[in-house]
Amino acid sequence: MQYFLDGEQISVAVESKGAEICSIYNKKTQKEILWQADPDIWDRHAPLLFPHCGNVWDKQLTVQGRAYPAAQHGFARDFEFACSRHDKKALVFRLQNSPLTQNYYPYQFALEV
């Protein structure tokens, strides 16, 4: 689901999947500022990287002897975030630990952006 902020000079669109900004539009210049995810080149806009940036050794995290799969740039960008605030001036998205996230990251967390 997409959420929007509409200011005097700029409008912003954010996708709830990954809490990813997918548009920053400058109304004055009538130009899109953000990469528009051409699937032939790179199909993301501005992904949120959590709990790590880049790759980790052997593409896994090991915690107390147990291995957890660790994709490049973490898992948050592929999860649905809840929109916890949406008003004229702000959007806030939240992802917190769940039985599903425990498959990738064994810690309790609450990530808000």
Side-chain angles (χ1 to χ4, degrees):
M1 175 176 219
Q2 279 194 353
Y3 293 81
F4 301 92
L5 288 176
D6 194 27
E8 287 183 29
Q9 297 178 15
I10 291 178
S11 63
V12 176
V14 181
E15 186 67 45
S16 57
K17 181 181 177 189
E20 184 173 6
I21 298 172
C22 54
S23 175
I24 303 172
Y25 184 77
N26 184 320
K27 294 177 178 181
K28 185 176 181 179
T29 63
Q30 297 185 343
K31 291 188 179 180
E32 177 61 46
I33 298 169
L34 192 65
W35 169 254
Q36 285 303 288
D38 180 343
D40 290 334
I41 300 169
W42 186 55
D43 64 354
R44 298 197 189 247
H45 300 273
L48 179 63
L49 312 181
F50 176 85
H52 58 271
C53 297
N55 282 313
V56 297
W57 186 259
D58 287 339
K59 298 190 184 293
Q60 64 183 14
L61 300 173
T62 302
V63 178
Q64 297 181 344
R66 180 173 170 198
Y68 296 86
Q72 182 179 17
H73 303 314
F75 62 86
R77 64 191 185 161
D78 297 318
F79 274 72
E80 192 69 27
F81 280 63
C83 183
S84 59
R85 179 179 171 199
H86 184 197
D87 57 40
K88 289 184 177 186
K89 295 190 177 198
L91 279 168
V92 177
F93 291 89
R94 181 181 176 93
L95 176 68
Q96 67 182 64
N97 62 290
S98 68
L100 188 54
T101 66
Q102 294 284 309
N103 293 320
Y104 304 96
Y105 192 68
Y107 302 106
Q108 291 187 8
F109 69 92
L111 174 62
E112 285 192 339
V113 292

